[in-house]
Amino acid sequence: MDTSSARRLGLAATLHCLTGCAIGEVLGMVIGTAAGWTDLATVVLSVALAFFFGYLLTISPLLRQGLGLRNAARIALAADTVSIAVMEVVDNGVMLAVPGAMGAGLANGVFWASLAFSLAVAFAVTWPVNVWLVRRGRGHAVVHGHHGGHRTPADAGGGHEHHAAQVPDAAPSPDVVPSPDAVARRAGSHA
């Protein structure tokens, strides 16, 4: 895959990851802070919810495409785990490093500014990681193996040509997924 395509797909993967992580982070931070939990309990809840929503955002379109839950979950684990983990380590590390951010309370602008800043830093760190994964056929490359519903020679039983070579300007779509057979072949060839 060429650098430009890898960067676009890496960006799409990072925005996808940011969406799930932000939902989980905000919800976890709000619940933990409102309940007066310790920083550790709040971070654990935020991380758990970030993984949950991150995986859910990948699994849902796969299920709508007709893929079974087991296969969809396997693809989500392969596509999202590293990205979410990097984003969560950075995001929570920044939140904990900003003096007073965790204890500021929900009505305090320091809390919200710190949370927004931490997500922005996490995005900046995670994007190159996702580009690196995509260039190696990992991460969201597993989900985004097909664009616009076109089939690649690899889907038809051929080689491992990338679809980006056939449609160089195609923007990645999070809702278009490869057939279960194509995913199984790719998973077997990259193992």
Side-chain angles (χ1 to χ4, degrees), residues 12-149:
T14 308
L15 288 170
H16 173 97
C17 181
L18 179 65
T19 303
C21 288
I23 293 168
E25 281 293 318
V26 170
L27 190 57
M29 292 286 174
V30 167
I31 291 169
T33 302
W37 290 358
T38 65
D39 289 353
L40 178 61
T42 301
V43 167
V44 168
L45 176 63
S46 294
V47 170
L49 290 173
F51 272 94
F52 173 77
F53 285 107
Y55 289 142
L56 183 65
L57 289 175
T58 297
I59 290 172
S60 296
L62 294 171
L63 293 175
R64 284 194 304 272
Q65 293 284 329
L67 205 60
L69 181 59
R70 183 177 174 185
N71 285 334
R74 235 180 25 227
I75 292 169
L77 287 170
D80 294 331
T81 301
V82 171
S83 182
I84 295 171
V86 169
M87 191 163 283
E88 285 305 297
V89 166
V90 173
D91 172 50
N92 285 291
V94 170
M95 276 300 287
L96 291 168
V98 173
M102 294 293 289
L106 298 177
N108 192 318
V110 171
F111 173 83
W112 294 105
S114 299
L115 185 56
F117 176 69
S118 70
L119 288 168
V121 172
F123 177 88
V125 171
T126 306
W127 184 9
V129 171
N130 280 322
V131 171
W132 183 82
L133 289 168
V134 165
R135 290 187 62 84
R136 282 147 189 80
R138 305 276 192 230
H140 262 247
V142 175
V143 175
H144 294 278
H146 300 264
H147 307 293

